[in-house]
Amino acid sequence: MKMSTEVATAAHGTPLREVVRSLGEHHVDGLPVTDAQDRVIGVVLTSDLAATRPRAVGPGGTPGPW
């Protein structure tokens, strides 16, 4: 496997949809999050995104059978 010297990152405030796309595009499970000065201020992981996925609900807001 060839290593890349360029690291994929997500700027603070990047929309979730773009973060998901970037994770898939780069075949990685996490991205460093950078501030306006390109300093790393955190990391977003695929497991973080799984916790934010909306759940389907049935009538009255009750969980559906799925």
Side-chain angles (χ1 to χ4, degrees):
M1 173 181 257
K2 184 178 177 183
M3 298 292 289
S4 172
T5 56
E6 190 171 321
V7 177
T9 63
H12 181 265
T14 300
L16 184 59
R17 186 176 304 245
E18 288 181 36
V19 172
V20 171
R21 181 195 52 76
S22 188
L23 287 165
E25 182 178 295
H26 296 286
H27 306 285
V28 295
D29 292 323
L31 292 174
V33 178
T34 57
D35 65 11
Q37 289 77 38
D38 286 331
R39 295 179 296 205
V40 176
I41 58 172
V43 177
V44 63
L45 304 171
T46 53
S47 59
D48 297 330
L49 302 175
T52 63
R53 192 173 77 199
R55 294 197 170 96
V57 294
T62 58
W66 38 89

